[in-house]
Amino acid sequence: GQNIDQPTEMTATEGAIVQINCTYQTSGFNGLFWYQQHAGEAPTFLSYNVLDGLEEKGRFSSFLSRSKGYSYLLLKELQMKDSASYLCAVRDRDYKLSFGAGTTVTVRA
Amino acid sequence: DTGVSQDPRHKITKRGQNVTFRCDPISEHNRLYWYRQTLGQGPEFLTYFQNEAQLEKSRLLSDRFSAERPKGSFSTLEIQRTEQGDSAMYLCASSLSGLADTDTQYFGPGTRLTVL
């Protein structure tokens, strides 16, 4: 099974940078995903890492260290619309996703 | 491409009734997944299909839960004899297996079930 930990809440100011950490223990690693979820809506795909290192996609970047069981999602130039829950998910060899409980990010003006 | 769709979006039912939810995946996606999400938690995997074959169903929460994907396209999730603890958001996701798409799962809008 999977054990995935991420902080419950984070608050940051508009225009700032926030880093959301995720640690995991897995019985078969086949990729790590980050999703964004606004209240009452479905998760939307943000990023995917399967090899160690940094993946950059516009204002969002995601990092993975498989040896440490660690990932982070970096949100730059925060905007009010970035206020949401951010879900870390680990995929196993059977392609099932196990999710963390999510980190609620609040962006203040 | 209209994305993953689910129907209904909301369902209110009385305890003991049966409910069925439908999911239409992104066209040409061969894998389809069902998850349940309760407030303050991430989605919890229930079951998944590759084409019409159900490859994993041990995570279904009880024998009251069943899922089908008869023609390898849309899928249904049925809950029999609903209980108040079944109240949750039921999410469907689909993916395309193969190297090009990294098998990324794309989620539908969900069906919110309330059991009175």
Side-chain angles (χ1 to χ4, degrees), chain B residues 46-63:
Chain B
L46 296 178
T47 187
Y48 90 105
F49 296 84
Q50 179 155 318
N51 300 311
E52 65 274 11
Q54 191 173 11
L55 298 185
E56 171 66 71
K57 57 182 179 179
S58 64
R59 305 275 191 91
L60 286 168
L61 301 166
S62 76
D63 59 6

Side-chain angles (χ1 to χ4, degrees), chain B residues 43-101:
Chain B
E44 175 188 12
F45 171 81
L46 296 178
T47 187
Y48 90 105
F49 296 84
Q50 179 155 318
N51 300 311
E52 65 274 11
Q54 191 173 11
L55 298 185
E56 171 66 71
K57 57 182 179 179
S58 64
R59 305 275 191 91
L60 286 168
L61 301 166
S62 76
D63 59 6
R64 297 184 296 106
F65 288 70
S66 62
E68 293 183 341
R69 194 184 185 196
K71 298 182 179 179
S73 56
F74 74 91
S75 175
T76 58
L77 177 70
E78 181 182 17
I79 309 174
Q80 296 182 327
R81 305 181 302 281
T82 53
E83 302 173 356
Q84 288 185 327
D86 298 332
S87 296
M89 175 76 86
Y90 291 85
L91 293 164
C92 175
S94 70
S95 70
L96 176 64
S97 63
L99 294 177
D101 195 60

Side-chain angles (χ1 to χ4, degrees), chain B residues 2-13:
Chain B
T2 58
V4 179
S5 61
Q6 293 186 243
D7 182 71
R9 297 290 306 277
H10 303 274
K11 178 70 177 180
I12 300 174
T13 190

Side-chain angles (χ1 to χ4, degrees), chain A residues 70-99:
Chain A
Y70 168 70
S71 173
Y72 67 74
L73 179 70
L74 196 67
L75 286 63
K76 293 178 279 190
E77 301 170 16
L78 279 173
Q79 302 175 9
M80 299 299 288
K81 67 178 182 179
D82 297 329
S83 292
S85 178
Y86 291 84
L87 299 163
C88 174
V90 173
R91 185 173 66 188
D92 65 19
R93 299 193 187 284
D94 294 325
Y95 296 94
K96 301 186 295 293
L97 291 178
S98 295
F99 284 85

